[in-house]
Amino acid sequence: VPAVTRSSNQGNVGGSQNTSIRGFNTRTIYKDGARFTTIGEVYLNNIASVEVLKGPAGMLFGSTPPGGVIVYSRKKP
């Protein structure tokens, strides 16, 4: 998706992955409608789809960063 970048920061203990949308860092994601704060890597092995709502469209989910929001939908068993 244009304007979405991922970067990794390798530290002494593990590492972290940062996602920025339109220049604003975001660590808040949504999985199946529930809000999560990411600390480490997000694994995509059980994810069915990834949606990125940029800008004001991200306000549909409440208090979000001004860049937008990332929404993950998990696979159904």
Side-chain angles (χ1 to χ4, degrees):
V1 174
V4 177
T5 58
R6 292 193 57 140
S7 62
S8 60
N9 180 13
Q10 298 297 328
N12 291 334
V13 179
S16 65
Q17 293 199 358
N18 299 323
T19 305
S20 67
I21 303 173
R22 299 176 59 207
F24 295 97
N25 288 332
T26 181
R27 289 182 182 245
T28 303
I29 62 169
Y30 287 83
K31 283 187 181 177
D32 295 329
R35 185 177 181 160
F36 287 94
T37 303
T38 60
I39 300 298
E41 186 175 348
V42 176
Y43 296 104
L44 300 177
N45 56 354
N46 66 341
I47 301 296
S49 67
V50 178
E51 301 175 31
V52 178
L53 299 173
K54 296 188 288 186
M59 291 299 184
L60 295 173
F61 289 92
S63 177
T64 60
V69 67
I70 300 174
V71 181
Y72 295 97
S73 296
R74 291 187 278 188
K75 293 179 183 176
K76 302 294 181 198

Short mmCIF file of all heavy atoms in Angstrom, two decimals:
data_model
loop_
_atom_site.label_atom_id
_atom_site.label_comp_id
_atom_site.label_asym_id
_atom_site.label_seq_id
_atom_site.Cartn_x
_atom_site.Cartn_y
_atom_site.Cartn_z
N VAL A 1 0.85 -1.16 0.00
CA VAL A 1 0.00 0.00 0.00
C VAL A 1 0.91 1.24 0.00
O VAL A 1 1.83 1.31 0.80
CB VAL A 1 -0.91 0.00 1.25
CG1 VAL A 1 -1.70 1.27 1.34
CG2 VAL A 1 -1.81 -1.20 1.26
N PRO A 2 0.66 2.20 -0.88
CA PRO A 2 1.46 3.41 -0.88
C PRO A 2 1.35 4.16 0.45
O PRO A 2 0.31 4.14 1.10
CB PRO A 2 0.85 4.24 -2.00
CG PRO A 2 0.12 3.28 -2.85
CD PRO A 2 -0.32 2.18 -1.95
N ALA A 3 2.42 4.79 0.86
CA ALA A 3 2.51 5.61 2.08
C ALA A 3 2.56 4.77 3.34
O ALA A 3 2.46 5.31 4.43
CB ALA A 3 1.38 6.63 2.15
N VAL A 4 2.74 3.45 3.25
CA VAL A 4 2.90 2.60 4.43
C VAL A 4 4.28 1.96 4.36
O VAL A 4 4.61 1.30 3.37
CB VAL A 4 1.82 1.50 4.49
CG1 VAL A 4 2.05 0.59 5.67
CG2 VAL A 4 0.44 2.12 4.56
N THR A 5 5.10 2.18 5.40
CA THR A 5 6.44 1.62 5.42
C THR A 5 6.66 0.87 6.72
O THR A 5 6.09 1.21 7.75
CB THR A 5 7.51 2.72 5.30
OG1 THR A 5 7.34 3.65 6.37
CG2 THR A 5 7.41 3.44 3.97
N ARG A 6 7.48 -0.18 6.64
CA ARG A 6 7.84 -0.95 7.82
C ARG A 6 9.34 -0.90 7.97
O ARG A 6 10.08 -1.01 7.01
CB ARG A 6 7.40 -2.40 7.67
CG ARG A 6 5.90 -2.54 7.70
CD ARG A 6 5.50 -3.94 7.87
NE ARG A 6 6.11 -4.46 9.09
CZ ARG A 6 5.49 -5.26 9.91
NH1 ARG A 6 4.28 -5.64 9.69
NH2 ARG A 6 6.08 -5.71 10.99
N SER A 7 9.81 -0.74 9.18
CA SER A 7 11.23 -0.74 9.47
C SER A 7 11.46 -1.56 10.72
O SER A 7 10.59 -1.64 11.59
CB SER A 7 11.76 0.68 9.64
OG SER A 7 11.12 1.29 10.75
N SER A 8 12.61 -2.19 10.80
CA SER A 8 12.91 -3.00 11.98
C SER A 8 14.08 -2.39 12.72
O SER A 8 14.99 -1.81 12.14
CB SER A 8 13.21 -4.44 11.60
OG SER A 8 14.32 -4.50 10.74
N ASN A 9 14.05 -2.53 14.02
CA ASN A 9 15.08 -2.01 14.91
C ASN A 9 15.63 -3.18 15.70
O ASN A 9 14.96 -3.70 16.58
CB ASN A 9 14.49 -0.94 15.83
CG ASN A 9 15.51 -0.37 16.78
OD1 ASN A 9 16.71 -0.59 16.60
ND2 ASN A 9 15.06 0.35 17.77
N GLN A 10 16.81 -3.61 15.38
CA GLN A 10 17.42 -4.74 16.08
C GLN A 10 18.17 -4.22 17.29
O GLN A 10 19.15 -3.51 17.17
CB GLN A 10 18.37 -5.51 15.15
CG GLN A 10 17.69 -6.10 13.95
CD GLN A 10 16.66 -7.14 14.34
OE1 GLN A 10 16.80 -7.83 15.33
NE2 GLN A 10 15.60 -7.23 13.56
N GLY A 11 17.69 -4.59 18.46
CA GLY A 11 18.33 -4.17 19.70
C GLY A 11 19.07 -5.33 20.34
O GLY A 11 19.28 -6.37 19.73
N ASN A 12 19.44 -5.16 21.60
CA ASN A 12 20.14 -6.22 22.32
C ASN A 12 19.23 -7.40 22.60
O ASN A 12 19.65 -8.54 22.56
CB ASN A 12 20.70 -5.68 23.64
CG ASN A 12 21.82 -4.69 23.40
OD1 ASN A 12 22.48 -4.75 22.37
ND2 ASN A 12 22.02 -3.79 24.34
N VAL A 13 17.98 -7.14 22.90
CA VAL A 13 17.04 -8.21 23.21
C VAL A 13 15.97 -8.22 22.13
O VAL A 13 15.11 -7.35 22.09
CB VAL A 13 16.39 -7.99 24.60
CG1 VAL A 13 15.39 -9.09 24.90
CG2 VAL A 13 17.45 -7.92 25.67
N GLY A 14 16.04 -9.18 21.23
CA GLY A 14 15.05 -9.27 20.17
C GLY A 14 15.12 -8.08 19.25
O GLY A 14 16.17 -7.62 18.87
N GLY A 15 14.00 -7.55 18.91
CA GLY A 15 13.92 -6.38 18.04
C GLY A 15 12.48 -5.93 17.96
O GLY A 15 11.59 -6.57 18.48
N SER A 16 12.27 -4.84 17.33
CA SER A 16 10.90 -4.36 17.17
C SER A 16 10.70 -3.93 15.73
O SER A 16 11.64 -3.54 15.05
CB SER A 16 10.61 -3.21 18.12
OG SER A 16 11.42 -2.11 17.79
N GLN A 17 9.48 -4.01 15.28
CA GLN A 17 9.14 -3.56 13.95
C GLN A 17 8.20 -2.37 14.07
O GLN A 17 7.22 -2.43 14.80
CB GLN A 17 8.50 -4.67 13.14
CG GLN A 17 9.46 -5.79 12.86
CD GLN A 17 9.01 -6.64 11.71
OE1 GLN A 17 7.95 -6.41 11.15
NE2 GLN A 17 9.81 -7.59 11.35
N ASN A 18 8.54 -1.32 13.38
CA ASN A 18 7.73 -0.11 13.41
C ASN A 18 7.02 0.05 12.08
O ASN A 18 7.59 -0.20 11.03
CB ASN A 18 8.60 1.12 13.68
CG ASN A 18 9.31 1.03 15.00
OD1 ASN A 18 8.75 0.54 15.97
ND2 ASN A 18 10.54 1.50 15.05
N THR A 19 5.78 0.47 12.13
CA THR A 19 5.01 0.74 10.94
C THR A 19 4.64 2.21 10.94
O THR A 19 4.18 2.73 11.95
CB THR A 19 3.72 -0.11 10.91
OG1 THR A 19 4.08 -1.48 11.04
CG2 THR A 19 2.97 0.08 9.62
N SER A 20 4.86 2.87 9.82
CA SER A 20 4.44 4.26 9.71
C SER A 20 3.47 4.40 8.54
O SER A 20 3.66 3.80 7.48
CB SER A 20 5.63 5.20 9.54
OG SER A 20 6.25 5.00 8.30
N ILE A 21 2.41 5.15 8.79
CA ILE A 21 1.40 5.42 7.77
C ILE A 21 1.39 6.92 7.54
O ILE A 21 1.15 7.70 8.47
CB ILE A 21 0.01 4.95 8.22
CG1 ILE A 21 0.03 3.46 8.56
CG2 ILE A 21 -1.03 5.23 7.15
CD1 ILE A 21 -1.25 2.96 9.17
N ARG A 22 1.67 7.31 6.31
CA ARG A 22 1.71 8.72 5.93
C ARG A 22 2.64 9.53 6.82
O ARG A 22 2.39 10.68 7.14
CB ARG A 22 0.30 9.31 5.95
CG ARG A 22 -0.64 8.63 4.98
CD ARG A 22 -2.04 9.15 5.08
NE ARG A 22 -2.09 10.57 4.82
CZ ARG A 22 -3.02 11.37 5.32
NH1 ARG A 22 -3.95 10.90 6.11
NH2 ARG A 22 -3.01 12.65 5.04
N GLY A 23 3.74 8.91 7.27
CA GLY A 23 4.74 9.61 8.07
C GLY A 23 4.51 9.58 9.57
O GLY A 23 5.34 10.06 10.33
N PHE A 24 3.41 9.01 10.04
CA PHE A 24 3.13 8.92 11.47
C PHE A 24 3.35 7.48 11.93
O PHE A 24 2.78 6.55 11.36
CB PHE A 24 1.67 9.31 11.76
CG PHE A 24 1.37 10.75 11.46
CD1 PHE A 24 0.78 11.11 10.26
CD2 PHE A 24 1.67 11.74 12.37
CE1 PHE A 24 0.49 12.42 9.96
CE2 PHE A 24 1.38 13.06 12.09
CZ PHE A 24 0.80 13.41 10.88
N ASN A 25 4.15 7.31 12.99
CA ASN A 25 4.38 5.97 13.54
C ASN A 25 3.13 5.47 14.22
O ASN A 25 2.44 6.21 14.91
CB ASN A 25 5.54 5.98 14.53
CG ASN A 25 6.87 6.14 13.85
OD1 ASN A 25 7.02 5.76 12.70
ND2 ASN A 25 7.83 6.70 14.55
N THR A 26 2.85 4.19 14.03
CA THR A 26 1.70 3.58 14.68
C THR A 26 2.08 2.22 15.23
O THR A 26 2.78 1.47 14.59
CB THR A 26 0.50 3.45 13.72
OG1 THR A 26 -0.56 2.87 14.44
CG2 THR A 26 0.81 2.61 12.51
N ARG A 27 1.69 1.96 16.46
CA ARG A 27 1.88 0.65 17.07
C ARG A 27 0.54 0.02 17.42
O ARG A 27 0.47 -1.07 17.93
CB ARG A 27 2.73 0.75 18.32
CG ARG A 27 4.16 1.06 18.02
CD ARG A 27 4.97 1.10 19.30
NE ARG A 27 6.33 1.43 18.99
CZ ARG A 27 7.33 0.59 19.18
NH1 ARG A 27 7.12 -0.58 19.69
NH2 ARG A 27 8.55 0.95 18.87
N THR A 28 -0.54 0.72 17.14
CA THR A 28 -1.88 0.22 17.45
C THR A 28 -2.45 -0.44 16.21
O THR A 28 -2.49 0.17 15.15
CB THR A 28 -2.79 1.36 17.90
OG1 THR A 28 -2.20 1.99 19.03
CG2 THR A 28 -4.16 0.83 18.29
N ILE A 29 -2.88 -1.68 16.36
CA ILE A 29 -3.51 -2.41 15.28
C ILE A 29 -4.83 -2.98 15.77
O ILE A 29 -5.10 -2.97 16.97
CB ILE A 29 -2.61 -3.54 14.75
CG1 ILE A 29 -2.35 -4.57 15.85
CG2 ILE A 29 -1.33 -3.01 14.17
CD1 ILE A 29 -1.70 -5.84 15.37
N TYR A 30 -5.63 -3.45 14.87
CA TYR A 30 -6.89 -4.08 15.21
C TYR A 30 -6.91 -5.48 14.63
O TYR A 30 -6.60 -5.67 13.46
CB TYR A 30 -8.07 -3.27 14.66
CG TYR A 30 -8.30 -2.00 15.41
CD1 TYR A 30 -7.57 -0.86 15.15
CD2 TYR A 30 -9.25 -1.95 16.42
CE1 TYR A 30 -7.78 0.30 15.85
CE2 TYR A 30 -9.46 -0.78 17.14
CZ TYR A 30 -8.73 0.33 16.84
OH TYR A 30 -8.93 1.49 17.55
N LYS A 31 -7.24 -6.47 15.46
CA LYS A 31 -7.41 -7.85 15.02
C LYS A 31 -8.85 -8.23 15.27
O LYS A 31 -9.30 -8.24 16.42
CB LYS A 31 -6.50 -8.81 15.79
CG LYS A 31 -5.07 -8.78 15.35
CD LYS A 31 -4.30 -9.88 16.06
CE LYS A 31 -2.86 -9.87 15.66
NZ LYS A 31 -2.10 -10.90 16.38
N ASP A 32 -9.58 -8.52 14.20
CA ASP A 32 -10.99 -8.89 14.29
C ASP A 32 -11.80 -7.87 15.10
O ASP A 32 -12.69 -8.22 15.87
CB ASP A 32 -11.16 -10.28 14.90
CG ASP A 32 -10.57 -11.36 14.01
OD1 ASP A 32 -10.57 -11.18 12.78
OD2 ASP A 32 -10.13 -12.38 14.55
N GLY A 33 -11.49 -6.60 14.97
CA GLY A 33 -12.23 -5.55 15.64
C GLY A 33 -11.75 -5.19 17.03
O GLY A 33 -12.21 -4.22 17.61
N ALA A 34 -10.82 -5.95 17.59
CA ALA A 34 -10.29 -5.66 18.93
C ALA A 34 -8.96 -4.92 18.79
O ALA A 34 -8.14 -5.24 17.94
CB ALA A 34 -10.09 -6.94 19.72
N ARG A 35 -8.75 -3.95 19.65
CA ARG A 35 -7.55 -3.12 19.59
C ARG A 35 -6.39 -3.81 20.30
O ARG A 35 -6.53 -4.29 21.43
CB ARG A 35 -7.85 -1.77 20.24
CG ARG A 35 -6.73 -0.79 20.14
CD ARG A 35 -7.14 0.53 20.73
NE ARG A 35 -6.06 1.47 20.60
CZ ARG A 35 -6.20 2.76 20.66
NH1 ARG A 35 -7.39 3.27 20.85
NH2 ARG A 35 -5.18 3.56 20.52
N PHE A 36 -5.22 -3.83 19.65
CA PHE A 36 -3.99 -4.38 20.22
C PHE A 36 -2.88 -3.36 20.06
O PHE A 36 -2.86 -2.60 19.11
CB PHE A 36 -3.57 -5.66 19.49
CG PHE A 36 -4.43 -6.85 19.80
CD1 PHE A 36 -5.51 -7.17 19.00
CD2 PHE A 36 -4.17 -7.63 20.90
CE1 PHE A 36 -6.31 -8.25 19.28
CE2 PHE A 36 -4.97 -8.73 21.19
CZ PHE A 36 -6.03 -9.04 20.38
N THR A 37 -1.95 -3.37 20.98
CA THR A 37 -0.74 -2.57 20.86
C THR A 37 0.41 -3.51 20.59
O THR A 37 0.68 -4.40 21.39
CB THR A 37 -0.47 -1.76 22.14
OG1 THR A 37 -1.61 -0.95 22.40
CG2 THR A 37 0.74 -0.88 21.98
N THR A 38 1.06 -3.35 19.45
CA THR A 38 2.12 -4.28 19.07
C THR A 38 3.42 -3.89 19.73
O THR A 38 3.79 -2.72 19.79
CB THR A 38 2.32 -4.29 17.55
OG1 THR A 38 2.66 -2.98 17.13
CG2 THR A 38 1.07 -4.76 16.84
N ILE A 39 4.12 -4.88 20.23
CA ILE A 39 5.44 -4.68 20.82
C ILE A 39 6.49 -5.29 19.91
O ILE A 39 7.51 -4.69 19.64
CB ILE A 39 5.52 -5.31 22.23
CG1 ILE A 39 4.48 -4.68 23.15
CG2 ILE A 39 6.91 -5.15 22.81
CD1 ILE A 39 4.64 -3.20 23.38
N GLY A 40 6.24 -6.46 19.42
CA GLY A 40 7.19 -7.15 18.55
C GLY A 40 6.64 -7.29 17.15
O GLY A 40 5.88 -6.47 16.66
N GLU A 41 6.99 -8.40 16.54
CA GLU A 41 6.61 -8.67 15.17
C GLU A 41 5.19 -9.23 15.10
O GLU A 41 4.78 -9.99 15.96
CB GLU A 41 7.59 -9.66 14.57
CG GLU A 41 7.39 -9.92 13.11
CD GLU A 41 8.46 -10.83 12.54
OE1 GLU A 41 9.47 -11.06 13.22
OE2 GLU A 41 8.28 -11.29 11.42
N VAL A 42 4.46 -8.88 14.07
CA VAL A 42 3.13 -9.43 13.84
C VAL A 42 3.27 -10.56 12.84
O VAL A 42 3.73 -10.36 11.72
CB VAL A 42 2.17 -8.36 13.28
CG1 VAL A 42 0.82 -8.96 12.95
CG2 VAL A 42 2.02 -7.22 14.26
N TYR A 43 2.91 -11.77 13.25
CA TYR A 43 3.02 -12.92 12.38
C TYR A 43 1.77 -13.05 11.53
O TYR A 43 0.65 -12.93 12.02
CB TYR A 43 3.25 -14.19 13.20
CG TYR A 43 4.55 -14.16 13.95
CD1 TYR A 43 4.58 -13.92 15.32
CD2 TYR A 43 5.74 -14.35 13.29
CE1 TYR A 43 5.78 -13.88 16.00
CE2 TYR A 43 6.96 -14.31 13.96
CZ TYR A 43 6.96 -14.07 15.32
OH TYR A 43 8.15 -14.03 15.99
N LEU A 44 1.95 -13.34 10.26
CA LEU A 44 0.84 -13.38 9.32
C LEU A 44 0.43 -14.80 8.94
O LEU A 44 -0.27 -14.99 7.95
CB LEU A 44 1.21 -12.60 8.05
CG LEU A 44 1.54 -11.13 8.26
CD1 LEU A 44 1.96 -10.49 6.95
CD2 LEU A 44 0.36 -10.40 8.86
N ASN A 45 0.82 -15.80 9.73
CA ASN A 45 0.50 -17.17 9.36
C ASN A 45 -0.98 -17.51 9.51
O ASN A 45 -1.46 -18.43 8.86
CB ASN A 45 1.36 -18.15 10.15
CG ASN A 45 1.23 -17.99 11.64
OD1 ASN A 45 0.58 -17.07 12.10
ND2 ASN A 45 1.85 -18.87 12.39
N ASN A 46 -1.73 -16.84 10.35
CA ASN A 46 -3.16 -17.12 10.49
C ASN A 46 -4.03 -15.91 10.12
O ASN A 46 -5.16 -15.81 10.55
CB ASN A 46 -3.49 -17.60 11.91
CG ASN A 46 -3.26 -16.51 12.94
OD1 ASN A 46 -2.56 -15.55 12.69
ND2 ASN A 46 -3.83 -16.68 14.11
N ILE A 47 -3.50 -15.03 9.30
CA ILE A 47 -4.22 -13.81 8.90
C ILE A 47 -4.82 -14.02 7.51
O ILE A 47 -4.14 -14.43 6.58
CB ILE A 47 -3.27 -12.59 8.90
CG1 ILE A 47 -2.66 -12.38 10.27
CG2 ILE A 47 -3.98 -11.35 8.41
CD1 ILE A 47 -3.65 -12.03 11.35
N ALA A 48 -6.12 -13.74 7.38
CA ALA A 48 -6.80 -13.89 6.10
C ALA A 48 -6.65 -12.63 5.25
O ALA A 48 -6.46 -12.70 4.04
CB ALA A 48 -8.27 -14.19 6.31
N SER A 49 -6.76 -11.44 5.86
CA SER A 49 -6.64 -10.20 5.10
C SER A 49 -6.07 -9.09 5.96
O SER A 49 -6.20 -9.11 7.18
CB SER A 49 -8.00 -9.78 4.53
OG SER A 49 -8.86 -9.42 5.58
N VAL A 50 -5.45 -8.13 5.31
CA VAL A 50 -4.89 -6.95 5.96
C VAL A 50 -5.48 -5.73 5.27
O VAL A 50 -5.41 -5.60 4.05
CB VAL A 50 -3.36 -6.92 5.86
CG1 VAL A 50 -2.80 -5.66 6.49
CG2 VAL A 50 -2.74 -8.15 6.47
N GLU A 51 -6.09 -4.85 6.05
CA GLU A 51 -6.68 -3.63 5.51
C GLU A 51 -5.96 -2.43 6.11
O GLU A 51 -5.64 -2.44 7.29
CB GLU A 51 -8.16 -3.54 5.85
CG GLU A 51 -8.99 -4.69 5.32
CD GLU A 51 -10.42 -4.61 5.80
OE1 GLU A 51 -10.93 -3.49 6.01
OE2 GLU A 51 -11.01 -5.67 5.98
N VAL A 52 -5.72 -1.43 5.31
CA VAL A 52 -5.10 -0.19 5.78
C VAL A 52 -6.07 0.95 5.48
O VAL A 52 -6.43 1.18 4.33
CB VAL A 52 -3.75 0.06 5.08
CG1 VAL A 52 -3.16 1.37 5.55
CG2 VAL A 52 -2.78 -1.08 5.36
N LEU A 53 -6.50 1.62 6.53
CA LEU A 53 -7.36 2.80 6.38
C LEU A 53 -6.49 4.01 6.65
O LEU A 53 -6.01 4.21 7.76
CB LEU A 53 -8.53 2.74 7.36
CG LEU A 53 -9.47 1.56 7.19
CD1 LEU A 53 -10.48 1.54 8.32
CD2 LEU A 53 -10.16 1.63 5.86
N LYS A 54 -6.26 4.81 5.62
CA LYS A 54 -5.37 5.96 5.75
C LYS A 54 -6.16 7.22 6.03
O LYS A 54 -7.28 7.39 5.55
CB LYS A 54 -4.55 6.13 4.49
CG LYS A 54 -3.61 4.98 4.21
CD LYS A 54 -2.69 5.26 3.06
CE LYS A 54 -3.44 5.23 1.77
NZ LYS A 54 -2.58 5.35 0.60
N GLY A 55 -5.55 8.10 6.80
CA GLY A 55 -6.12 9.42 7.04
C GLY A 55 -7.40 9.40 7.86
O GLY A 55 -7.55 8.61 8.78
N PRO A 56 -8.34 10.27 7.53
CA PRO A 56 -9.57 10.40 8.31
C PRO A 56 -10.42 9.13 8.35
O PRO A 56 -11.22 8.95 9.25
CB PRO A 56 -10.33 11.52 7.62
CG PRO A 56 -9.33 12.26 6.84
CD PRO A 56 -8.26 11.27 6.48
N ALA A 57 -10.26 8.24 7.38
CA ALA A 57 -11.04 6.99 7.39
C ALA A 57 -10.69 6.15 8.62
O ALA A 57 -11.51 5.37 9.09
CB ALA A 57 -10.78 6.19 6.13
N GLY A 58 -9.49 6.30 9.16
CA GLY A 58 -9.09 5.57 10.35
C GLY A 58 -9.84 6.00 11.59
O GLY A 58 -9.87 5.28 12.59
N MET A 59 -10.51 7.15 11.56
CA MET A 59 -11.26 7.63 12.71
C MET A 59 -12.52 6.80 12.96
O MET A 59 -13.18 6.96 13.97
CB MET A 59 -11.65 9.10 12.53
CG MET A 59 -10.48 10.02 12.59
SD MET A 59 -9.69 9.90 14.18
CE MET A 59 -8.47 11.15 14.05
N LEU A 60 -12.87 5.91 12.03
CA LEU A 60 -14.01 5.02 12.25
C LEU A 60 -13.78 4.12 13.45
O LEU A 60 -14.72 3.61 14.03
CB LEU A 60 -14.24 4.16 11.00
CG LEU A 60 -14.68 4.90 9.74
CD1 LEU A 60 -14.69 3.93 8.57
CD2 LEU A 60 -16.05 5.49 9.93
N PHE A 61 -12.52 3.90 13.81
CA PHE A 61 -12.17 3.01 14.91
C PHE A 61 -11.89 3.77 16.21
O PHE A 61 -11.30 3.21 17.12
CB PHE A 61 -10.96 2.16 14.53
CG PHE A 61 -11.29 1.12 13.51
CD1 PHE A 61 -11.14 1.39 12.16
CD2 PHE A 61 -11.77 -0.11 13.89
CE1 PHE A 61 -11.45 0.43 11.22
CE2 PHE A 61 -12.09 -1.07 12.96
CZ PHE A 61 -11.93 -0.80 11.62
N GLY A 62 -12.26 5.02 16.30
CA GLY A 62 -12.08 5.77 17.53
C GLY A 62 -10.78 6.54 17.54
O GLY A 62 -10.35 7.07 16.53
N SER A 63 -10.14 6.58 18.68
CA SER A 63 -8.91 7.34 18.85
C SER A 63 -7.75 6.61 18.18
O SER A 63 -7.26 5.60 18.67
CB SER A 63 -8.62 7.52 20.33
OG SER A 63 -7.40 8.18 20.51
N THR A 64 -7.33 7.11 17.04
CA THR A 64 -6.24 6.50 16.28
C THR A 64 -5.23 7.56 15.91
O THR A 64 -5.53 8.75 15.95
CB THR A 64 -6.77 5.84 14.98
OG1 THR A 64 -7.39 6.84 14.18
CG2 THR A 64 -7.77 4.74 15.29
N PRO A 65 -4.02 7.15 15.53
CA PRO A 65 -3.04 8.13 15.06
C PRO A 65 -3.55 8.81 13.79
O PRO A 65 -4.35 8.24 13.04
CB PRO A 65 -1.80 7.28 14.76
CG PRO A 65 -1.98 6.02 15.52
CD PRO A 65 -3.45 5.81 15.62
N PRO A 66 -3.09 10.02 13.50
CA PRO A 66 -3.60 10.75 12.33
C PRO A 66 -3.23 10.11 10.99
O PRO A 66 -3.85 10.41 9.99
CB PRO A 66 -2.99 12.14 12.46
CG PRO A 66 -1.86 11.99 13.41
CD PRO A 66 -2.17 10.82 14.28
N GLY A 67 -2.25 9.22 10.98
CA GLY A 67 -1.87 8.58 9.73
C GLY A 67 -2.88 7.56 9.25
O GLY A 67 -3.09 7.38 8.07
N GLY A 68 -3.51 6.86 10.17
CA GLY A 68 -4.48 5.83 9.82
C GLY A 68 -4.37 4.64 10.75
O GLY A 68 -3.77 4.71 11.81
N VAL A 69 -4.94 3.51 10.32
CA VAL A 69 -5.00 2.32 11.16
C VAL A 69 -4.84 1.08 10.29
O VAL A 69 -5.18 1.10 9.10
CB VAL A 69 -6.32 2.29 11.96
CG1 VAL A 69 -7.50 2.10 11.07
CG2 VAL A 69 -6.30 1.23 13.04
N ILE A 70 -4.29 0.01 10.88
CA ILE A 70 -4.14 -1.27 10.19
C ILE A 70 -5.08 -2.26 10.85
O ILE A 70 -5.10 -2.40 12.07
CB ILE A 70 -2.69 -1.77 10.27
CG1 ILE A 70 -1.75 -0.76 9.61
CG2 ILE A 70 -2.56 -3.14 9.61
CD1 ILE A 70 -0.30 -1.09 9.75
N VAL A 71 -5.87 -2.97 10.03
CA VAL A 71 -6.86 -3.92 10.53
C VAL A 71 -6.53 -5.29 9.96
O VAL A 71 -6.43 -5.46 8.74
CB VAL A 71 -8.29 -3.51 10.10
CG1 VAL A 71 -9.30 -4.50 10.64
CG2 VAL A 71 -8.60 -2.11 10.57
N TYR A 72 -6.33 -6.27 10.85
CA TYR A 72 -6.07 -7.65 10.47
C TYR A 72 -7.32 -8.49 10.70
O TYR A 72 -7.98 -8.34 11.73
CB TYR A 72 -4.94 -8.26 11.29
CG TYR A 72 -3.60 -7.63 11.08
CD1 TYR A 72 -3.11 -6.66 11.93
CD2 TYR A 72 -2.80 -8.03 10.00
CE1 TYR A 72 -1.87 -6.09 11.72
CE2 TYR A 72 -1.56 -7.45 9.80
CZ TYR A 72 -1.11 -6.49 10.66
OH TYR A 72 0.12 -5.92 10.46
N SER A 73 -7.64 -9.36 9.77
CA SER A 73 -8.75 -10.30 9.94
C SER A 73 -8.17 -11.71 9.94
O SER A 73 -7.47 -12.09 9.01
CB SER A 73 -9.75 -10.17 8.81
OG SER A 73 -10.34 -8.90 8.83
N ARG A 74 -8.44 -12.46 11.02
CA ARG A 74 -7.89 -13.80 11.12
C ARG A 74 -8.70 -14.81 10.32
O ARG A 74 -9.89 -14.60 10.08
CB ARG A 74 -7.81 -14.24 12.58
CG ARG A 74 -6.77 -13.46 13.35
CD ARG A 74 -6.59 -14.01 14.71
NE ARG A 74 -7.66 -13.47 15.56
CZ ARG A 74 -7.70 -13.63 16.85
NH1 ARG A 74 -6.79 -14.33 17.46
NH2 ARG A 74 -8.67 -13.11 17.55
N LYS A 75 -8.06 -15.91 9.96
CA LYS A 75 -8.73 -16.98 9.24
C LYS A 75 -9.72 -17.66 10.17
O LYS A 75 -9.49 -17.79 11.36
CB LYS A 75 -7.72 -18.01 8.75
CG LYS A 75 -6.79 -17.50 7.69
CD LYS A 75 -5.81 -18.58 7.28
CE LYS A 75 -4.82 -18.05 6.27
NZ LYS A 75 -3.80 -19.06 5.95
N LYS A 76 -10.82 -18.09 9.60
CA LYS A 76 -11.82 -18.83 10.38
C LYS A 76 -11.41 -20.29 10.47
O LYS A 76 -10.91 -20.84 9.50
CB LYS A 76 -13.20 -18.72 9.72
CG LYS A 76 -13.67 -17.30 9.54
CD LYS A 76 -13.92 -16.64 10.85
CE LYS A 76 -14.43 -15.22 10.60
NZ LYS A 76 -14.31 -14.37 11.74
N PRO A 77 -11.62 -20.93 11.61
CA PRO A 77 -11.24 -22.34 11.74
C PRO A 77 -12.13 -23.24 10.91
O PRO A 77 -13.22 -22.92 10.55
CB PRO A 77 -11.39 -22.64 13.21
CG PRO A 77 -12.16 -21.54 13.80
CD PRO A 77 -12.11 -20.40 12.84
#
